[in-house]
Amino acid sequence: MHTLKRYCCLLRVQHYVKNFLILFPLFFGQALFHVPLLCRVLLGTASFCFLSSAVYIFNDFCDLESDRLNSLKCLRPLASGEVSCTGARAAALLSVLLSLVLGLLAGGWQAYVFLGLYGAVNLLYSLKLKHVPIMDIMLLVFGYLLRLIYGSYLAGISISRWMYLTVLSICFYVALGKRRNELRANGPAGRTVFGSRGYTYEFLDKNMYLFLGMAMVFYCLWAAAPENGSRLGGDYLLWTVPVMISICLRYDMLAERSQKADPVSILLKDRPLVLLLFVAGTAFLVLLYAPQL
């Protein structure tokens, strides 16, 4: 069991929650209970999960020496020696193979375009571009958006412009907040993108709140979009706006107090926030699918 836990940590299983973005086009396109489409999207999500695990392992290899000198990252399985380099390579190879098989089953060879693009961008990020200010943020955001586009391809459902803009803004907010917390916790020496020629705390703090405000506005516009009102028989989605604002405020309060840079840790370890997300999910499920019954 201890070995399984070490490898789950190596694979960053907890970060699979990010891949829920792949389900968004299916869910908000009111096709969640279309079984063939659901199976296709779930297979595609699994393929992305395994590929992201391989990417995390590759990044751990690239940062192995610096992680060993970091007070928090030295606890990672590879940096701490809990998982051998041979074992990590085998896990990465197996993850890639599983990703390729599941991707083929889900979306045919076209799925490899999305998986290959995600893999290539993250290899460039790990090797060089994470040391380039602005570019590192752009690539982090691109990884999230690619999940959304991949889900749209698998489900055959287009993404609304307001959903795209909302997700884009939230992703910039999260990525900038991640860098801000890293700078606050580790100082300018924590990353090469910090310091006199890179990010300052004020720059990251100011711009993350700019994108948070944009995200709230775009979400309100999405909830008020005429096409949503017409398909649901009323402007019911507007009632979800207070819940979504509460989620953003709760997450932001936790991010301000937390010394952790990882958004997933902030998200999953706070019960009120998880409860708010459950309420929002239930509200969407009822509002979007009750008219079909």
Side-chain angles (χ1 to χ4, degrees), residues 22 90 113 115 163 170 188 257 281:
I22 298 171
V113 174
L115 298 174
M163 176 183 286
I170 283 288
R257 296 188 314 199

Side-chain angles (χ1 to χ4, degrees), residues 204-218:
L204 295 168
D205 191 65
K206 175 178 63 179
N207 283 285
M208 65 180 283
Y209 289 117
L210 169 67
F211 281 106
L212 179 60
M214 289 172 58
M216 289 184 178
V217 171
F218 288 141

Side-chain angles (χ1 to χ4, degrees), residues 5-23:
K5 184 178 180 180
R6 290 201 303 265
Y7 275 93
C8 285
C9 186
L10 176 72
L11 296 171
R12 306 280 216 287
V13 172
Q14 72 274 20
H15 285 260
Y16 288 174
V17 69
K18 298 174 183 177
N19 295 322
F20 280 136
L21 271 173
I22 298 171
L23 294 165

